[in-house]
Amino acid sequence: MQAQLDKILEEAKAQLKEAATMAQTDEIRVKLLGKKGKLTEILRGMGKLSPEERKSTGQMANKVRSEIEQLLEEKFEAVKAAAKEAQFRLEKLDVTEPGKETILGVKHPLTITIEEISKVFTNMGFSIAEGPEVETVFNNFDALNAGPNHPSRDMTDTFYITEDILLRTQTSPVQARVLMKEKPPIKIISPGRCFRCDTPDATHSPMFHQVEGLVVDEGVTMADLKGTLDSFAKQLFGSETRTKFRPHHFPFTEPSAEMDVSCFKCGGKGCRVCKGSGWIEILGCGMVHPNVLKVGNLDTEKYTGFAFGMGVERVAMLKYGVDDIRLFYENDMRFINQFK
Ligand code: DAH
């Protein structure tokens, strides 16, 4: 019996030496001390022995059992510690490692410019209206008093989709849309994309942006136009800025004008930016033509209004000293990142 018990102990030691996990260790425990375990069977079989034998064998078996229990406990502790150790190694965090830089996107200079222009006008009580880039010929030309033979209707200037549909050549058709939908007082601006059949060069692009403006109410005068646009120029280009209105012609306004601002680079002395003149042309404007007001079925005796339109690229080029319009559309990050 002693030999049998010694063998069990030796085997247990050998097996436990090999065990590397909790599961393996527990398997050994079950094989020895479980209900059908080897040692359990021996202890159970002692009932058949004589009282003397039972005493001595019992002592031996109990000694082996407590020894095995001790060994099992030590092994459990060891594999538990090893598992913890392995997990720590896996979850190790080096707090001295440098962080990964998250690269933030930047706003496109044209977006920045549109936002700056919009902010000036919304602060003056304008709201923002939107219109589609694919427009009707009616809204882009007819509703804006551009006669059937107006040169801008030419196929060589305008992208036609069908005879009646085109890519808008200006943001002015939003004027027609707003007049057909809303009643005065109207006070809107409308930034957006425009398209013209232009060959790209340093100052031309077949796709470009404009901001349109329209104010219609009772008693709106040219003085309101000048006051509003002069205030806009001072807010956008600096409070020292002076403005000048030169007579011009647009089909949808009468009278029409172009507004120049005193050069914000040289203050009016003459430099490269203003080409020596001291003045920079910024926008077209005028008093809304009665024929346009009629598109909104308005009583032209009662209502008057003014309108304006400016090129966003032109403003951005002047403000940021960009000398080629194509730079805006190349998405070269070295260019874009300069406007952070
Ligand atoms: N639509 C004109 C253009 O593309 C700009 C313009 C001029 C708009 C005068 C206006 C305006 O609303 O009143 O050249």
Side-chain angles (χ1 to χ4, degrees):
M1 183 56 77
Q2 178 70 56
Q4 215 179 330
L5 287 168
D6 284 347
K7 196 171 160 242
I8 288 173
L9 185 61
E10 284 317 306
E11 267 175 23
K13 278 185 185 167
Q15 280 173 6
L16 282 173
K17 208 171 176 182
E18 294 296 314
T21 65
M22 293 289 261
Q24 286 167 353
T25 312
D26 201 51
E27 209 175 297
I28 297 166
R29 182 191 65 78
V30 172
K31 273 190 193 150
L32 293 167
L33 305 177
K35 265 190 199 154
K36 289 179 185 161
K38 275 187 187 165
L39 202 58
T40 314
E41 258 159 29
I42 289 177
L43 290 167
R44 205 182 283 141
M46 288 201 317
K48 297 182 197 119
L49 300 174
S50 65
E52 297 82 54
E53 268 179 321
R54 203 184 299 159
K55 193 178 172 203
S56 62
T57 313
Q59 274 173 354
M60 283 192 290
N62 276 334
K63 194 162 158 270
V64 169
R65 180 166 64 180
S66 60
E67 215 167 310
I68 287 174
E69 277 172 350
Q70 175 76 25
L71 287 171
L72 278 166
E73 196 170 323
E74 282 167 15
K75 189 70 195 184
F76 273 125
E77 289 301 318
V79 291
K80 223 201 259 171
K84 220 180 210 176
E85 182 71 30
Q87 195 174 355
F88 282 155
R89 223 174 297 126
L90 207 71
E91 292 175 359
K92 190 172 79 170
L93 189 70
D94 181 357
V95 292
T96 65
E97 227 178 71
K100 278 198 194 110
E101 194 192 353
T102 310
I103 298 165
L104 286 180
V106 294
K107 280 185 183 165
H108 191 280
L110 293 178
T111 304
I112 297 172
T113 308
I114 288 173
E115 284 180 358
E116 280 181 8
I117 295 170
S118 300
K119 199 168 160 212
V120 171
F121 283 108
T122 52
N123 283 348
M124 292 197 283
F126 284 71
S127 32
I128 305 217
E130 276 186 87
E133 290 162 18
V134 177
E135 253 301 0
T136 60
V137 170
F138 177 81
N139 285 343
N140 196 83
F141 291 125
D142 302 87
L144 297 172
N145 198 38
N149 294 317
H150 195 271
S152 59
R153 290 185 183 247
D154 206 287
M155 290 283 287
T156 54
D157 294 317
T158 301
F159 291 111
Y160 284 91
I161 292 170
T162 68
E163 220 173 281
D164 308 315
I165 307 285
L166 44 66
L167 294 182
R168 66 179 178 190
T169 60
Q170 48 190 356
T171 43
S172 306
V174 181
Q175 287 191 35
R177 287 181 172 269
V178 170
L179 282 168
M180 285 187 271
K181 213 175 77 194
E182 286 169 32
K183 291 270 150 281
I186 289 169
K187 206 172 172 188
I188 60 100
I189 56 157
S190 185
R193 273 194 194 102
C194 307
F195 307 84
R196 282 180 205 177
C197 298
D198 277 330
T199 308
D201 63 23
T203 53
H204 293 87
S205 160
M207 188 281 297
F208 57 97
H209 299 74
Q210 286 187 339
V211 175
E212 191 75 14
L214 176 69
V215 174
V216 179
D217 202 358
E218 287 179 56
V220 175
T221 68
M222 189 92 182
D224 295 312
L225 177 157
K226 291 179 78 173
T228 304
L229 297 178
D230 183 77
S231 170
F232 159 72
K234 286 179 165 58
Q235 291 181 65
L236 196 72
F237 297 110
S239 56
E240 303 300 306
T241 309
R242 285 163 292 126
T243 54
K244 181 170 86 172
F245 292 81
R246 281 180 290 101
H248 202 77
H249 174 265
F250 297 106
F252 30 86
T253 44
E254 183 58 38
S256 305
E258 275 188 335
M259 184 179 85
D260 295 346
V261 296
S262 55
C263 181
F264 43 82
K265 193 86 182 177
C266 65
K269 285 199 257 342
C271 69
R272 208 175 66 91
V273 173
C274 58
K275 298 199 178 85
S277 74
W279 294 96
I280 299 170
E281 184 234 309
I282 285 296
L283 53 79
C285 57
M287 300 307 289
V288 182
H289 197 289
N291 287 352
V292 177
L293 292 175
K294 279 179 197 154
V295 170
N297 276 325
L298 294 180
D299 178 352
T300 56
E301 291 299 317
K302 190 172 166 196
Y303 293 106
T304 49
F306 68 85
F308 53 91
M310 70 188 92
V312 176
E313 279 80 353
R314 184 170 163 72
V315 172
M317 286 169 84
L318 290 165
K319 266 198 91 149
Y320 296 121
V322 174
D323 57 10
D324 194 320
I325 196 171
R326 290 167 292 194
L327 286 165
F328 290 124
Y329 316 117
E330 283 167 358
N331 284 334
D332 184 334
M333 291 313 287
R334 291 170 302 179
F335 174 73
I336 308 279
N337 276 329
Q338 292 179 61
F339 300 91
K340 261 182 209 169

